[in-house]
Amino acid sequence: MVELKTDTSIEAMYAAGQVVARALTAVREAADVGVSLLELDELAHGVLREAGATSPFLGYRPSFAATPFPAVLCASVNDAIVHGIPTGYRLRDGDLVSMDFGAALNGWVGDSAISFTVGTARPADLRLIETAERALAAGIEAAVVGNRIGDIAHAIGTVCRSAGYGIPDGFGGHGIGRHMHEDPGVPNEGRPGRGYPLRHGMVIAIEPMLIAGGGDGYHEAPDGWTLRTNDGSRAAHAEHTVAITRTGPRILTERR
């Protein structure tokens, strides 16, 4: 069931989204060679505490997971696509890092993700990240009243495939509101004009995920959470929480 949010509720979700934005900005600024993923997770946790917010990630256990997620930050490095668990791993020169983070504030949730490089960037990684961001922008541009979910999916998929990148099958965006994952699902590839109609008050998380090698295959790591590319190529992830309004899409997790 798709819940339409009131304008007041969207404002409350914006407040949660800005906690997410602050945390991701802080994490990106702190990420450097020698910094551990656990240190970045603790930094993000501190942003939550300062805002009086909680984590929708910590303790989350969907049906596919054998254990609850143990952190507030998803930290995926190099060939990890999404859902990486922060560990004592210390970032190295040239790493490609994807950070996914959520916050719950006053009963409403925000969710966003960024990818970036640490130290000396590989040109191929910069192209991958730039394409992920373009795919996200294309999906947001299609998130207008009168379109359908398929229009968002088609916009994202067109950018990804045109650049020669793979798209992990079965993973994409989602509705969001009082819970992190709500209806409708938002695929990263699809046919225009199909799927659920977009209406004022819908709030969705749009999140393209790209595989550099061009294949779509991935596998679950032994930790039961991290998804890695089958071909060992690098991956990038970009995400925003977006409200669909009569005046156009509004990014609730926009970073300043």
Side-chain angles (χ1 to χ4, degrees):
M1 178 180 175
V2 175
E3 177 194 0
L4 299 180
K5 280 68 176 179
T6 65
D7 292 347
T8 300
S9 297
I10 290 173
E11 289 300 325
M13 291 191 69
Y14 176 79
Q18 289 308 292
V19 177
V20 176
R22 291 197 297 274
L24 287 176
T25 297
V27 165
R28 182 169 188 170
E29 291 176 350
D32 203 353
V33 175
V35 176
S36 78
L37 300 180
L38 281 174
E39 289 169 342
L40 295 177
D41 183 71
E42 180 53 36
L43 174 62
H45 210 158
V47 174
L48 286 176
R49 288 191 290 266
E50 183 179 351
T54 59
S55 172
F57 288 17
L58 183 63
Y60 181 60
R61 187 180 180 182
S63 58
F64 65 80
T67 59
F69 194 76
V72 302
L73 183 71
C74 288
S76 305
V77 181
N78 296 332
D79 67 324
I81 307 168
V82 286
H83 302 165
I85 296 176
T87 65
Y89 175 85
R90 295 191 177 276
L91 294 172
R92 301 172 183 174
D93 187 53
D95 277 346
L96 191 166
V97 184
S98 297
M99 297 292 186
D100 192 355
F101 184 76
L105 182 68
N106 297 323
W108 297 99
V109 179
D111 186 12
S112 183
I114 56 173
S115 292
F116 55 88
T117 57
V118 175
T120 307
R122 300 180 184 183
D125 289 345
L126 295 179
R127 288 193 297 271
L128 180 67
I129 293 168
E130 188 271 337
T131 305
E133 292 173 348
R134 279 198 295 115
L136 175 58
I140 293 171
E141 186 176 358
V144 295
V145 173
N147 273 357
R148 292 178 175 267
I149 290 293
D151 294 302
I152 298 174
H154 178 71
I156 293 170
T158 297
V159 172
C160 298
R161 296 299 188 189
S162 296
Y165 296 127
I167 301 171
D169 183 47
F171 282 85
H174 48 87
I176 185 169
R178 292 199 176 275
H179 304 280
M180 182 166 57
H181 291 138
E182 298 182 354
D183 292 333
V186 186
N188 285 328
E189 193 168 31
R191 298 176 63 182
R194 300 295 183 92
Y196 199 89
L198 305 182
R199 299 168 60 189
H200 176 84
M202 286 178 63
V203 182
I204 56 177
I206 300 174
E207 52 177 322
M209 307 165 196
L210 284 64
I211 297 175
D216 298 348
Y218 61 88
H219 61 276
E220 185 181 278
D223 64 20
W225 275 98
T226 308
L227 300 183
R228 296 190 179 277
T229 63
N230 281 350
D231 60 8
S233 67
R234 294 188 168 196
H237 179 200
E239 177 185 17
H240 272 309
T241 297
V242 179
I244 297 165
T245 78
R246 296 184 187 91
T247 56
R250 181 183 179 191
I251 301 173
L252 304 183
T253 48
E254 187 167 20
R255 296 177 291 279
R256 298 175 181 176

